[in-house]
Amino acid sequence: MTFSTKGRYALRMMLDFALHPGECTKINQVAERQGISDKYLEQIVTILSRAGYVKSKRGAKGGYTLTKDPDQYTVGMILRLAEGSLVPVSCIEEETNPCSRADVCASLMVWKKLDEAISGVVDNITLADLVAEQKRLDKNSDHYMI
């Protein structure tokens, strides 16, 4: 499974906002710190804003802030918003498997276990966990990413 730049950048943008609590962060600030096109980030922040993950403030001191505390967002929430479903195969997307071969498909076990593993990771890491990890990395580094 490969995540697109949209999912990866959405996560980096949310982390950047979380690392600057109480500040209104402008898109160009995130773009500069993250080395990402501000035009692309504008598209992503629209998705985050429509979902209620961030709110905007207009004006010279405006920008974006998180609508909730970082511990209220999981990596899974952010990735699913940007990427859509994270299931490895479409036949396990629905509660009832629509595949006519589901009862005789030995590989179905693999896809279910892979889905459980992915969800088990992304749904149990919060934005607050990433903030703590970034601060730990920054403390041990000669240069700062964020």
Side-chain angles (χ1 to χ4, degrees):
M1 169 174 260
T2 302
F3 293 102
S4 72
T5 55
K6 186 189 292 185
R8 296 191 326 264
Y9 291 176
L11 188 57
R12 285 170 58 184
M13 177 179 266
M14 290 288 286
L15 176 57
D16 198 291
F17 293 151
L19 284 163
H20 299 90
E23 292 179 30
C24 277
T25 305
K26 294 181 180 354
I27 297 300
N28 65 345
Q29 293 172 305
V30 177
E32 185 177 321
R33 287 190 289 250
Q34 296 295 325
I36 303 170
S37 158
D38 57 344
K39 295 293 182 201
Y40 196 25
L41 289 179
E42 287 172 7
Q43 294 173 24
I44 294 169
V45 81
T46 299
I47 295 166
L48 297 171
S49 183
R50 284 186 185 145
Y53 287 20
V54 299
K55 61 184 173 185
S56 65
K57 180 179 176 187
R58 296 187 186 274
K61 295 188 180 198
Y64 291 89
T65 58
L66 298 177
T67 57
K68 298 185 255 184
D69 290 331
D71 64 351
Q72 299 298 304
Y73 300 95
T74 66
V75 170
M77 290 169 61
I78 298 163
L79 290 176
R80 284 184 188 93
L81 179 64
E83 299 281 345
S85 175
L86 301 181
V87 298
V89 291
S90 61
C91 66
I92 62 170
E93 224 162 2
E94 304 297 323
E95 198 167 310
T96 304
N97 192 321
C99 180
S100 61
R101 295 186 35 79
D103 292 339
V104 295
C105 180
S107 62
L108 187 59
M109 174 187 68
V110 174
W111 307 130
K112 286 181 177 180
K113 286 184 181 268
L114 186 56
D115 182 48
E116 290 167 7
I118 292 167
S119 293
V121 171
V122 300
D123 293 337
N124 288 295
I125 298 173
T126 67
L127 206 49
D129 296 327
L130 293 181
V131 166
E133 177 66 4
Q134 187 66 61
K135 287 180 178 180
R136 184 190 70 76
L137 291 169
D138 287 349
K139 192 183 292 184
N140 296 325
S141 176
D142 292 341
H143 63 284
Y144 298 91
M145 290 298 298
I146 297 177

